[in-house]
């Protein structure tokens, strides 16, 4: 599918409007510009993660190493800044992005070369990163601080629009161009539909998988850098709350969990929907347990909807 805008990708935007209208009946401040701009700022963190996750899911794979790629990048960037060395501080963000790309390539090796299911391999990588972080910090919160650039990226604004949101939109636009206008995008979707047939047609499928996982790793790392800038520090397990919402945002945005079909336009809508839903549930003082259950139900509902639509289309 080469269309960026489909009914599936539009649904989360309709959902956002419904959430805002319904929420405003109980909390009128939801309609204020300050509240909505704050939601865009918060959405940027999840948006970067979901953007990378979409690339991998279009392959028909999944990346469960997101939490500790995010946390690892935050620890690396804040540690370099906290070292007090101007040179190390200057390379803090590039080092974090290289870390994300490196882990992404490791994920690609496991999936494309060793042929281990992505769910198992990336979960194992996530566990290894957790162990390495605990060994490095002794189980305590890591030392370090965010640089002014990291703080500005996460909390600054341009003409009242959060810089984090603008950065997310710029990255999403660049990746959308590659998905829609370059051979990489066609190969990515073809692998999602049928990897074996794509390989037999002459495409270097391992290379595409490497690049896709590397992009996802860099997006997760950048999300970690922004979160560290927002909190002005890194802390243990800061990425753990983001795994389920990341997958939920991609699925709600209409991307097929089986690969081959979906768009970043839909993912953006899914991120905004999940962010608004989370905010409204927080305002209503819904517990984390119920919030996770609601995310699970949302994912299941969208999967059922996609399955029914596919069945009706095939008929």
């Amino acid at each position: 599918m080469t269309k960026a805008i489909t009914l599936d990708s539009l649904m989360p935007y309709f959902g956002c409007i419904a959430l805002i209208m319904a929420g405003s009946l109980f909390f009128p401040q939801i309609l204020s510009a300050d509240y909505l701009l704050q939601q865009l700022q918060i959405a940027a963190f999840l948006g970067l993660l979901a953007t990378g996750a979409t690339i991998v899911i279009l392959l028909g794979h999944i990346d469960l190493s997101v939490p500790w790629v995010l946390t690892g990048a935050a620890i690396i960037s804040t540690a370099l800044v906290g070292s007090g060395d101007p040179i190390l501080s200057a390379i803090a963000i590039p080092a974090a992005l290289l870390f994300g790309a490196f882990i992404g390539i490791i994920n690609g090796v496991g999936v494309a070369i060793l042929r281990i299911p992505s769910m198992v391999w990336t979960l194992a990588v996530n566990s290894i990163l957790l162990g390495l972080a605990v060994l490095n910090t002794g189980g305590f919160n890591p030392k370090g601080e965010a640089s002014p650039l990291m703080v500005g990226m996460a909390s600054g604004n341009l003409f009242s629009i959060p810089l984090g949101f603008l950065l997310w939109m710029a990255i999403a636009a660049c990746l959308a161009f590659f998905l829609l206008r370059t051979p990489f995008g066609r190969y990515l979707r073809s692998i999602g539909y049928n990897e074996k047939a794509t390989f037999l047609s002459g495409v270097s499928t391992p290379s595409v998988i490497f690049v896709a996982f590397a992009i996802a790793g860099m997006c997760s790392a950048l999300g970690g850098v922004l979160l560290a800038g927002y909190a002005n520090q890194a802390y243990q397990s800061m990425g753990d709350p983001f795994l389920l919402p990341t997958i939920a945002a991609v699925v709600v945005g209409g991307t097929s969990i089986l690969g081959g079909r979906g768009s970043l336009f839909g993912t953006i809508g899914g991120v905004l929907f999940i962010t608004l839903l989370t905010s409204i549930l927080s305002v209503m003082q819904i517990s984390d347990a119920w919030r996770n259950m609601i995310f699970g139900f949302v994912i299941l509902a969208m999967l059922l909807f996609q399955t029914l639509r596919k069945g009706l289309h095939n008929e």
Side-chain angles (χ1 to χ4, degrees):
M1 180 177 292
T2 58
K3 294 181 179 179
I5 301 177
T6 63
L7 177 59
D8 287 344
S9 65
L10 285 172
M11 282 193 63
Y13 293 94
F14 297 143
C16 288
I17 296 173
L19 280 176
I20 292 173
M21 293 297 101
S24 66
L25 298 177
F26 303 96
F27 309 102
Q29 64 269 28
I30 287 178
L31 295 175
S32 67
D34 288 342
Y35 174 85
L36 294 176
L37 287 172
Q38 183 185 39
Q39 297 313 300
L40 292 183
Q41 183 181 37
I42 296 172
F45 309 132
L46 177 61
L48 288 168
L49 306 180
T51 297
T54 302
I55 303 298
V56 171
I57 291 176
L58 282 172
L59 280 173
H61 294 292
I62 194 165
D63 184 359
L64 299 182
S65 65
V66 167
W68 275 94
V69 172
L70 182 159
T71 305
I75 291 174
I76 290 171
S77 58
T78 54
L80 291 175
V81 173
S83 68
D85 187 322
I87 296 178
L88 292 179
S89 180
I91 65 170
I93 295 177
L97 296 179
L98 284 174
F99 166 77
F102 176 70
I103 300 301
I105 291 173
I106 290 176
N107 286 334
V109 169
V111 173
I113 305 299
L114 303 180
R115 309 304 297 174
I116 297 174
S118 58
M119 180 178 293
V120 176
W121 180 265
T122 58
L123 186 61
V125 169
N126 188 71
S127 181
I128 291 171
L129 292 175
L130 165 60
L132 290 174
V134 172
L135 286 175
N136 180 58
T137 62
F140 299 98
N141 281 339
K143 297 179 180 180
E145 60 183 7
S147 67
L149 176 59
M150 293 165 62
V151 173
M153 290 168 59
S155 304
N157 61 78
L158 181 65
F159 303 112
S160 299
I161 301 176
L163 284 177
F165 175 76
L166 294 176
L167 178 61
W168 169 35
M169 289 296 98
I171 291 173
C174 291
L175 289 177
F177 173 82
F178 280 104
L179 289 179
L180 295 172
R181 303 296 182 186
T182 67
F184 173 77
R186 294 193 294 272
Y187 298 157
L188 194 76
R189 296 174 190 275
S190 296
I191 292 172
Y193 279 120
N194 192 321
E195 181 177 351
K196 185 176 181 179
T198 305
F199 176 77
L200 292 176
S201 68
V203 175
S204 176
T205 54
S207 299
V208 177
I209 293 173
F210 288 158
V211 172
F213 273 99
I215 290 173
M218 292 178 71
C219 286
S220 296
L222 185 56
V225 169
L226 260 64
L227 271 174
Y230 189 72
N232 202 31
Q233 64 176 341
Y235 52 91
Q236 294 284 356
S237 304
M238 63 190 297
D240 287 352
F242 285 91
L243 181 57
L244 185 57
T246 296
I247 298 172
V250 177
V251 174
V252 168
T255 297
S256 172
I257 202 72
L258 299 177
R261 181 171 58 84
S263 69
L264 288 175
F265 175 78
T267 295
I268 292 171
V271 169
L272 296 176
F273 177 84
I274 294 298
T275 302
L276 284 170
L277 178 61
T278 302
S279 176
I280 291 173
L281 292 176
S282 297
V283 171
M284 296 175 65
Q285 298 183 343
I286 301 297
S287 68
D288 289 341
W290 279 102
R291 197 177 307 172
N292 287 330
M293 289 175 63
I294 290 171
F295 285 149
F297 283 127
V298 168
I299 293 175
L300 290 176
M302 288 305 301
L303 288 174
L304 289 172
F305 175 78
Q306 291 176 7
T307 301
L308 290 174
R309 273 180 53 80
K310 184 177 180 181
L312 292 173
H313 179 74
N314 290 337
E315 290 179 3

